[in-house]
């Protein structure tokens, strides 16, 4: 059982690409032996089945998917010593590759979730957001399709899916409350 934290902002307010992993059973944080394909923050990461999808954020509209196996998360962690990485496991030779999906229609901060094993929903939720909402269906993986926006534009919210219901939680409205 693992919790992953992908990218974000590091000291100096610059985006980063590293992936941190919390091993629930060992009660230990580590940095994985592979990174996102590029630095980004304000993005969303959605897990479903044995895949992780990372979408949007700054400075990109790129959407990528990574197939995750137990080998990928078992061992192979490294510690950072300055800018040098010290490997602990022979699995370090196995570096997974991200597969690019069709790009979002624009660069945006976003949150997202799954509706079922085939469909992803992404909501534009950055400060300059208009609440634009898009869906991607893996059964017809050509492009992101616009779907109805939520009744209220929320910024910096998060999303959760329960069954086939998609919820937006928290955040701030257009008046900053």
């Amino acid at each position: 059982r693992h919790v992953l934290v992908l990218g974000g902002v590091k000291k100096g307010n610059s985006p980063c690409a590293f992936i941190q992993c919390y091993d629930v059973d060992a009660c230990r944080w580590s940095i994985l032996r592979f990174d996102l394909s590029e630095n980004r923050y304000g993005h969303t990461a959605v897990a479903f089945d044995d895949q992780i999808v990372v979408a949007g954020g700054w400075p990109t509209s790129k959407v990528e998917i990574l197939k995750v196996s137990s080998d990928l998360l078992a061992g192979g962690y490294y510690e950072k010593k300055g800018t040098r990485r010290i490997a602990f496991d022979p699995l370090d030779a196995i570096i997974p590759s991200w597969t690019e999906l069709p790009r979002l229609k624009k660069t945006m901060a976003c949150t997202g979730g799954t509706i079922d094993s085939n469909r992803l929903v992404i909501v534009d939720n950055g400060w300059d957001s208009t609440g634009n909402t898009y869906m991607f269906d893996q059964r017809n993986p050509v492009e992101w399709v616009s779907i109805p926006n939520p009744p209220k534009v929320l910024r910096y919210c998060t999303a959760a899916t329960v069954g086939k219901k998609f919820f937006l939680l928290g955040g701030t409205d257009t008046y900053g409350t």
Side-chain angles (χ1 to χ4, degrees):
R1 299 179 307 158
H2 299 88
V3 176
L4 299 177
V5 178
L6 300 96
V9 177
K10 59 185 175 182
K11 289 181 183 177
N13 288 331
S14 59
C16 64
F18 54 82
I19 301 173
Q20 299 177 81
C21 179
Y22 182 71
D23 184 322
V24 175
D25 297 324
C27 296
R28 182 184 83 186
W29 280 98
S30 301
I31 298 175
L32 292 185
R33 65 187 176 275
F34 60 94
D35 293 336
L36 296 171
S37 68
E38 64 185 332
N39 295 334
R40 58 170 71 186
Y41 69 96
H43 56 282
T44 191
V46 179
F48 66 98
D49 294 332
D50 59 350
Q51 302 172 95
I52 296 173
V53 175
V54 178
W58 283 283
T60 184
S61 60
K62 189 183 283 189
V63 179
E64 298 173 292
I65 191 164
L66 176 71
K67 189 165 180 70
V68 179
S69 67
S70 57
D71 289 344
L72 201 60
L73 300 177
Y77 303 111
Y78 62 78
E79 289 181 2
K80 288 184 102 169
K81 303 280 186 180
T83 57
R84 191 171 149 217
R85 297 178 179 179
I86 312 297
F88 289 104
D89 193 293
L91 283 175
D92 279 334
I94 304 168
I95 303 297
S97 61
W98 291 87
T99 302
E100 193 165 339
L101 296 177
R103 289 180 176 261
L104 295 170
K105 296 184 185 283
K106 67 177 192 168
T107 298
M108 63 182 170
C110 56
T111 189
T114 59
I115 295 177
D116 54 34
S117 62
N118 292 304
R119 296 179 292 171
L120 299 167
V121 173
I122 299 293
V123 179
D124 177 359
N125 78 340
W127 187 250
D128 60 350
S129 170
T130 55
N132 291 327
T133 307
Y134 306 98
M135 184 176 69
F136 181 78
D137 191 332
Q138 291 192 99
R139 295 169 295 193
N140 184 22
V142 178
E143 66 180 345
W144 289 86
V145 177
S146 294
I147 61 174
N149 293 337
K152 187 170 187 163
V153 174
L154 293 173
R155 291 165 171 79
Y156 303 114
C157 59
T158 192
T161 305
V162 179
K164 291 195 175 200
K165 294 191 178 198
F166 183 76
F167 295 90
L168 293 177
L169 308 150
T172 180
D173 63 18
T174 56
Y175 304 105
T177 58

